[in-house]
Amino acid sequence: AMLTPTRSDDELIRLWEEYALPHVEAWLALPRDQRGKALMYAAAQAVKRMTPDPVDRWIDLAVQAAYVKMREQ
């Protein structure tokens, strides 16, 4: 409970477990207002696993663009 005091912490851990992403502790150490970076990282990793031979930088940029567009709406 000390490591995950909020529901969003629990959800972040569940997301990391679901996609088998490393270093959840590092993301949990971020201030809550900076955890959007963790979600963008998880989204990029999920897309990379779905695409054959991904070009990592393009996928990262696509996820960032989608995030910016979502925030505008």
Side-chain angles (χ1 to χ4, degrees), residues 12 16 20-29 38 41:
L12 195 60
W16 253 244
L21 300 174
H23 313 299
V24 70
E25 298 85 8
W27 295 106
L28 286 172
Y41 171 79

Side-chain angles (χ1 to χ4, degrees), residues 38-56:
L39 298 177
M40 289 194 327
Y41 171 79
Q45 296 306 308
V47 172
K48 288 174 187 177
R49 290 178 182 179
M50 291 186 288
T51 58
D53 192 30
V55 179
D56 290 348

Side-chain angles (χ1 to χ4, degrees), residues 1-13 24-40 67 71:
M2 286 176 40
L3 290 176
T4 62
T6 67
R7 182 179 173 163
S8 62
D9 294 334
D10 294 337
E11 291 295 325
L12 195 60
I13 288 176
V24 70
E25 298 85 8
W27 295 106
L28 286 172
L30 288 174
R32 284 187 178 81
D33 64 337
Q34 294 180 14
R35 297 230 180 123
K37 295 175 187 177
L39 298 177
M40 289 194 327
Y67 177 76
R71 296 280 312 236

